[in-house]
Amino acid sequence: PITEFLEELERDELDVFGIEDICDTGEGEPLFACFAFEDWALMSLRFELHLLVHAFKRDCNDPDRRGPMSEHLAFYYAKYYKKDLNPKNYGVSTVEELLEIVC
């Protein structure tokens, strides 16, 4: 049990921004090896929001608009993805709080 604890501590001290290859953290293990469902859900949401901002910018064709305003984000999310953006699914009550988690 103590060796497992020490190994986990070493993994926790890993600088995720300093890794060159996410498929190998230096020990042959991918960075995402221990991702839980929640980690994948947040990563998927972040990617969807990334695509939404770029698609909105292209569709809007206005250099002054860098993306949808946060109060309209749920509307555009539903428009682009045909599904609702429910912040309560992620444990927060507002879209602004959700953006703080994801961004």
Side-chain angles (χ1 to χ4, degrees):
I2 192 69
T3 56
E4 290 176 16
F5 176 71
L6 292 175
E7 288 175 5
E8 185 176 335
L9 276 178
E10 284 181 24
R11 273 186 265 153
D12 288 345
E13 294 175 8
L14 181 67
D15 178 21
V16 295
F17 297 107
I19 295 176
E20 292 182 25
D21 181 9
I22 63 167
C23 292
D24 184 8
T25 59
E27 300 173 2
E29 183 177 75
L31 181 63
F32 48 86
C34 297
F35 270 21
F37 169 76
E38 295 84 1
D39 301 313
W40 289 110
L42 286 174
M43 187 181 72
S44 296
L45 176 64
R46 185 174 184 157
F47 183 65
E48 288 173 345
L49 292 175
H50 170 81
L51 292 177
L52 184 138
V53 167
H54 286 282
F56 179 86
K57 191 175 176 181
R58 186 195 57 152
D59 292 345
C60 186
N61 201 18
D62 183 358
D64 294 333
R65 291 189 179 185
R66 296 175 47 209
M69 297 173 66
S70 61
E71 56 265 11
H72 303 297
L73 187 63
F75 170 79
Y76 286 109
Y77 187 88
K79 196 73 149 164
Y80 278 89
Y81 291 111
K82 310 265 189 283
K83 59 183 180 180
D84 291 331
L85 178 62
N86 188 355
K88 293 184 181 181
N89 290 345
Y90 300 93
V92 294
S93 56
T94 66
V95 172
E96 287 79 14
E97 291 174 331
L98 182 59
L99 290 175
E100 286 180 25
I101 292 173
V102 177
C103 297

